[in-house]
Amino acid sequence: MRETRLIMGMPITIDVPLGPDAIEAAFDYFIAVDNRFSPYKSDSELSAMNRGEVTGDDLSEEMLEVLALSELTRHETAGYFNIRRPGGGVDPSGLVKGWAIRNASRLIAAMGHADYFVEAGGDIQCAGVNAEGKPWRVGIRNPFHDGEIVKVLQPGDAGIATSGTYVRGAHIYDPNDGRELRDLLSLTVVGPDIYEADRFATAAFAMGRDGIAFIEEAVGLEGYSIDHAGIATMTSGFKQLVVQ
Amino acid sequence: MRKALLSIGLVAASASYVGLQNHVLDVMQPGGQVASVSAVAEGPDLTDLLATPAEAAQTEAAPATPLALGTIVTEPSPAPSVAEITPPVVVPLVVTPPIASVEPTAPLSSEQPVVVANSAPVVTLPPIPRPRPHAADVALQSAQAIALAAPSGPYRDGTYKGTSENAYYGRVQVQITVAGNYIAKVDVLSYPSDRRTSRYINAQALPILQSEVMRAQDASVDGVSGATLTSRAYIRSLGKAVAQARGSNA
């Protein structure tokens, strides 16, 4: 069974071939995450915290965990990942998405399912096989053309995250000499789970062309970057994940 | 306060979940069919951002030393400049979804590397060069001319730059060209990254990574991973540029 709903401002797709009950439970979990962490809900715990209404001991365990993981990621990426907003407060959305997908997947597994596919806003966690009994296949979106894919992966039990920009019609150029910058449009990271893939996709994308080298050096992560000219660069272990 | 109505399609973020603006999403289904999911308008309206004063505050300084492999910092961060929240010092990683109990992950410990529970391979990281403000992280869903409508007063033809705004990892500044009450062109001004990071990486004598020309694939998949993000800094800067075209001092 497979269903898509709009939660946290993005389409969330959950496919558990043998478990409609698990699908409902997982959607309920995403709704709970949205109610706690949405920067757009004035009554979310995040908004209350950013207003100073909730501090320290009164914060929920989930909030404390997300803050701790954000701080850890900030140190591990030498500041490339940072949830602090310039105007004050924090926005941990960049970490919450992968974290929530991973938690939802664990919830589904705890209900006894070895086969599932959870996707939120282009980040994916999958395990086992689909309804046809085949390992899950994941496409990488063409950053130049929304309806197309440019790679087909069979990543096994893994998390797949893509960080990037869509620059169609808007051109990025260096204001000093008018030269068009040939920077990355997208960087896809495949890791042991979506939480790891997501947070390092975010940080590695910020490093520009050095990001794919960072993923190459990292053990346990594979990556595929696409630049402004449509040239893709992949880590040395990435080919093993590719079926097309 | 005058408000401008901008009809721009914005798609939900990967880095932050910016709300959707009355936009119908196309959702990939297995076999490549596309189903439409109607979006509920939610999240920041661009009109609100036109009323927000520019925030040019500096980002918090990054830690001075990248971590060596395998160590975890558990000390608290330095006191934030905006002291409204105190991040915790050390917190056990306990996953508590509301419906079913799940085994907790390993607690943070300074002796252990980052171990991801329920998965065999460990992610270990190389030393990381100190970051510098990087190329802008911006997105624009569509290149269509954006109609500008205001309760009173036209938008002046011309080219206008928005403020330089702090984006997720750098600065972004939007420049628009207005013609006949339309945004005819959007350009993003970005600044080259510091060359130090490239020199650092190159000095490590990394293996040469394989490159290829990206190619469309015709295949059915169970899902698609892609970046669909809208930068809030981009929206802020765009809002400033539009306000200038209108001749306001917002």
Side-chain angles (χ1 to χ4, degrees):
Chain A
M1 249 207 67
R2 179 186 186 101
E3 200 179 325
T4 299
R5 296 188 198 170
L6 207 63
I7 308 171
M8 287 163 48
M10 58 189 147
I12 299 185
T13 300
I14 303 181
D15 188 340
V16 185
L18 300 171
D21 54 340
I23 294 175
E24 204 57 45
F27 277 130
D28 284 345
Y29 174 70
F30 279 114
I31 290 170
V33 168
D34 193 31
N35 288 336
R36 187 184 302 288
F37 290 103
S38 173
Y40 303 114
K41 290 181 151 72
S42 57
D43 57 352
S44 69
E45 185 184 356
L46 180 74
S47 295
M49 185 181 73
N50 282 334
R51 287 191 300 265
E53 293 163 15
V54 187
T55 57
D57 288 340
D58 298 325
L59 294 171
S60 67
E61 278 192 51
E62 284 90 350
M63 181 62 72
L64 291 174
E65 179 183 342
V66 163
L67 291 176
L69 293 176
S70 299
E71 188 64 9
L72 176 64
T73 307
R74 186 175 77 91
H75 283 283
E76 287 179 320
T77 61
Y80 273 104
F81 182 92
N82 191 337
I83 68 172
R84 296 206 179 279
R85 299 299 93 194
V90 295
D91 182 1
S93 307
L95 185 135
V96 165
K97 187 166 73 160
W99 175 83
I101 297 170
R102 182 174 74 171
N103 290 346
S105 305
R106 287 175 171 172
L107 194 150
I108 295 168
M111 293 174 78
H113 300 283
D115 306 300
Y116 52 83
F117 180 97
V118 181
E119 179 196 338
D123 284 0
I124 293 165
Q125 175 82 51
C126 56
V129 298
N130 62 13
E132 280 100 45
K134 302 257 167 56
W136 302 100
R137 289 202 168 180
V138 174
I140 295 180
R141 176 172 290 133
N142 182 347
F144 298 92
H145 195 288
D146 222 352
E148 278 183 8
I149 58 175
V150 294
K151 216 74 184 162
V152 179
L153 309 179
Q154 196 166 288
D157 295 2
I160 305 99
T162 300
S163 202
T165 75
Y166 272 173
V167 187
R168 290 180 292 143
H171 294 270
I172 300 178
Y173 65 95
D174 181 346
N176 296 317
D177 58 14
R179 182 179 52 95
E180 190 153 349
L181 292 176
R182 298 162 114 276
D183 263 298
L184 287 197
L185 284 194
S186 84
L187 172 61
T188 300
V189 174
V190 182
D193 71 34
I194 183 57
Y195 168 73
E196 298 293 338
D198 193 22
R199 67 190 184 124
F200 291 117
T202 302
F205 183 79
M207 300 176 194
R209 292 189 173 278
D210 296 340
I212 192 72
F214 172 71
I215 301 297
E216 167 76 3
E217 284 286 273
V219 175
L221 301 176
E222 299 297 338
Y224 189 82
S225 66
I226 301 172
D227 77 8
H228 202 260
I231 305 296
T233 305
M234 68 195 87
T235 55
S236 50
F238 184 81
K239 273 206 292 270
Q240 281 135 33
L241 309 171
V242 176
V243 296
Q244 194 171 322
Chain B
M1 171 74 66
R2 289 177 185 176
K3 298 208 178 257
L5 301 171
L6 301 171
S7 55
I8 304 175
L10 295 172
V11 182
S14 70
S16 68
Y17 36 93
V18 176
L20 300 160
Q21 305 254 347
N22 295 322
H23 187 79
V24 176
L25 296 170
D26 292 330
V27 177
M28 289 296 294
Q29 300 292 338
Q33 285 84 31
V34 172
S36 286
V37 176
S38 287
V40 175
E42 177 190 292
D45 192 5
L46 274 170
T47 59
D48 296 329
L49 291 161
L50 294 179
T52 306
E55 291 161 347
Q58 296 289 335
T59 51
E60 180 184 305
T65 313
L67 286 186
L69 225 68
T71 61
I72 297 177
V73 176
T74 55
E75 301 90 27
S77 63
S81 52
V82 183
E84 287 195 324
I85 316 132
T86 309
V89 176
V90 175
V91 177
L93 290 179
V94 177
V95 173
T96 54
I99 288 130
S101 65
V102 176
E103 66 196 331
T105 57
L108 282 176
S109 154
S110 54
E111 291 85 46
Q112 294 171 354
V114 179
V115 176
V116 178
N118 299 335
S119 56
V122 171
V123 176
T124 57
L125 305 170
I128 303 147
R130 184 184 174 83
R132 289 288 182 267
H134 212 272
D137 172 45
V138 295
L140 182 68
Q141 175 63 15
S142 160
Q144 315 311 321
I146 300 163
L148 299 169
S152 59
Y155 289 83
R156 304 167 301 175
D157 287 359
T159 301
Y160 304 93
K161 277 189 203 169
T163 45
S164 174
E165 294 285 335
N166 229 322
Y168 203 53
Y169 350 92
R171 301 198 74 82
V172 61
Q173 187 176 23
V174 176
Q175 175 176 281
I176 62 173
T177 304
V178 175
N181 269 358
Y182 276 79
I183 296 180
K185 193 158 169 278
V186 177
D187 291 303
V188 177
L189 309 183
S190 177
Y191 298 87
S193 59
D194 192 286
R195 301 317 297 161
R196 235 182 291 180
T197 55
S198 291
R199 281 204 300 273
Y200 177 91
I201 292 285
N202 291 337
Q204 303 305 308
L206 292 172
I208 294 172
L209 299 180
Q210 184 175 342
S211 285
E212 63 183 12
V213 177
M214 186 198 75
R215 209 159 47 91
Q217 305 292 338
D218 181 20
S220 72
V221 292
D222 296 295
V224 178
S225 182
T228 55
L229 63 87
T230 303
S231 161
R232 293 159 83 182
Y234 175 91
I235 294 172
R236 281 198 297 272
S237 187
L238 178 66
K240 299 301 176 206
V242 169
Q244 286 178 52
R246 206 175 60 216
S248 79
N249 290 324

